[in-house]
Each structure stands twice: as C-alpha cells, then as structure tokens.
Amino acid sequence: MVPRSADGWGSGLLGVVIFSGSLPATRVAVGGFSPVFLTSARAVIAALLGAALLWGLRQKRPARSDLASLAIVAIGVVVGFPLLTALALQHVTSAHSIVFIGLLPLATALFGVLRGGERPRAAFWIFSLLGSAAVAGFALVQGGPASLPGDLLMLAAILLCGLGYAEGAALSRRLGGWQVISWALVLALPAMLVLAVVARPAGVAGVGAPAWLGLAYVSVFSMLVGFVFWYRGLARGGIAGVGQLQLLQPFLGLALAGLLLGEPVAPSMIAVTGLVVLCVAGAKRFA
C-alpha cells in the first residue's frame, strides 16, 4: 500500500505536469476563439464532466457553510485565472507568460498565511520581495509599452489563482480533492453557460484544428483532470510540501512552449525563471 504522503507527491506532480501545458494550449486556442468564449466554454465543458462524476459517484451536496469557499475557488481558478491569462496571451507569448507562473507558489503561500494566521519569519518576506522584484524587472525590461497590459493581466491572474489554490486546498480536507473543483465548476455553470452563448463565435468554419485541440486540452485537462490530481495531492501530501512542486511548472511550461509552439525561449527567460524559483523556494522554507 502506497503511503499517503508518497501518493500525495505523485498526484501533485502529475497535476503540475498537466498544468504546464495550460498556457501553451491557451495561446493556441485564442488564435481561433475570443478570450471570453474560451474561458466560458472550457468551464462549461469541465462543469458538465464534473457534474457527471458527482452524480455518477453519488456525492453528497456541500454544506451551506462551504458555498462561500466554493465561490472563491470558482472565481479564482474557474473564471479569473483562465480569463485573465487568455486576455494576457493576446499581448505576450506563452513563454513570456510562463515566467510569471514562478510566482504562483508564493501567491498560494501568501493567501495561506492570510487565511491561516501564520507568522512567517523575516527571511520569508526577503525572498518574497526578491522574487517579485525579479519578475517586475523582467517585465519592465522585456515587455515595453505593448506588453505592459499582458504583464499586468498575468500578475492579476496569479493573485486570483493563488487565492483559489489556497481556498481549495483547505476545503479539500473536508470535501475531497476532485469534489472541490467539481462543485466549484457546477456552481459557476449557469453564469458560464450564459456567457458562452453570448460570446459564441459567429461561425466555426474558420477555426482551425489547433484551436479546437487547445480548447479541448484546457477544458478537460487544465480545468478538471489537473485539479483532480492537484487537490488530491495537496490533501494527502500536505499543502506546504506538495505545493513546492509548482516550482517545476515554469521549466516544464517553457520547454513545452519551445517544443510545441516553436516560440523562442531566451536565456534571460530561463535565468529569471530560475531566480524566481530559488526565491520562492527560500520563501517557502521560512514560511
């Protein structure tokens, strides 16, 4: 029998690998769909799959006291992060945006601190500021006026995602990992369905196969399957420990962007991503 901690690390690692393909897939999908339609359509598809799982496995409805937390998860990871990243990827490449993912463990930790009332040591805040300064400096030097909106959208996306991760991780201890994302998707389904209908493209004849494949990936894997493994990992292996696996995501994402999309991955991107990873690792150690 596999120990809970080992199972948690394995599930968390698989979740990170799945998430690593999200930004490259989104970059491809926005070539054929608007960011609003992409965000709503992926949520609707994942919600229908999640609802089928909940019904098929006869899961109990969450308590009323859990609805507010589920709403936060939905706002953070169902609506906020997908929409903001889709908008950002109209201004920046996926390789550029993936550098910002290096801040995600820090954002998750910060919201965990705020909700958990923890008191990190001073070294935590030093690493925090260094990591933030590295990302801000990179965006300022590389972005220019044309990419400033994309950089700001990515920062907002990271903050919302960190909030959704922290809230979902805490809630998964009571409801279970896959149940949290499934109920959050179901909660957001009515609004996302209306939005998908309103924002639907006038015609699909001109939408190429890559855009459809991108939509399929972010709907099934990024929006549902990845969270099944991720929240299971957090619940079984521990938020602090398994959360550090997010540090691998920028490297995996940069590799995918270069291999699958042929996007240039400059040495400066790799250097900044490595620096951010080191800063976040230090911050997590002293949290």
Side-chain angles (χ1 to χ4, degrees):
M1 185 174 180
V2 180
R4 284 176 60 90
S5 59
D7 179 65
W9 278 84
S11 295
L13 179 59
L14 187 52
V16 168
V17 171
I18 292 172
F19 289 151
S20 297
S22 298
L23 289 179
T26 299
R27 174 71 173 177
V28 171
V30 294
F33 302 106
S34 71
V36 174
F37 176 77
L38 178 62
T39 299
S40 54
R42 67 187 279 182
V44 169
I45 295 170
L48 294 176
L49 294 173
L53 281 173
L54 292 169
W55 179 80
L57 297 176
R58 300 184 179 183
Q59 296 297 300
K60 295 171 103 178
R61 292 184 180 181
R64 287 187 178 181
S65 58
D66 292 328
L67 292 180
S69 292
L70 285 171
I72 292 174
V73 174
I75 292 171
V77 303
V78 176
V79 181
F81 184 76
L83 178 59
L84 291 174
T85 52
L87 290 170
L89 287 168
Q90 291 186 317
H91 302 278
V92 299
T93 66
S94 60
H96 179 90
S97 66
I98 286 168
V99 175
F100 289 84
I101 301 300
L103 288 175
L104 193 48
L106 177 58
T108 305
L110 286 172
F111 282 110
V113 166
L114 291 174
R115 294 196 60 80
E118 299 176 1
R119 296 292 181 269
R121 286 174 277 180
F124 172 86
W125 302 111
I126 293 174
F127 281 110
S128 238
L129 292 173
L130 286 174
S132 299
V135 172
F138 176 81
L140 184 63
V141 172
Q142 300 289 333
S147 68
L148 181 59
D151 292 333
L152 293 177
L153 285 166
M154 280 303 304
L155 286 173
I158 293 304
L159 289 175
L160 279 179
C161 191
L163 174 61
Y165 277 178
E167 194 72 28
L171 193 57
S172 65
R173 292 170 175 171
R174 298 197 301 275
L175 297 183
W178 70 267
Q179 291 91 333
V180 168
I181 188 59
S182 295
W183 283 119
L185 285 163
V186 169
L187 187 64
L189 178 58
M192 292 295 98
L193 183 58
V194 171
L195 196 59
V197 172
V198 172
R200 70 187 186 278
V204 296
V207 179
W212 286 111
L213 290 173
L215 173 60
Y217 186 92
V218 297
S219 300
V220 178
F221 293 97
S222 304
M223 198 79 268
L224 181 61
V225 177
F227 278 102
V228 171
F229 290 105
W230 180 241
Y231 280 144
R232 175 184 171 84
L234 292 174
R236 296 180 68 86
I239 297 173
V242 175
Q244 294 184 44
L245 289 171
Q246 293 177 98
L247 301 178
L248 299 174
Q249 191 168 334
F251 295 107
L252 294 171
L254 285 170
L256 286 173
L259 291 173
L260 300 181
L261 303 183
E263 293 184 355
V265 180
S268 59
M269 286 185 182
I270 299 174
V272 172
T273 302
L275 178 59
V276 169
V277 166
L278 290 175
C279 291
V280 176
K284 292 289 282 183
R285 179 179 180 183
F286 292 102

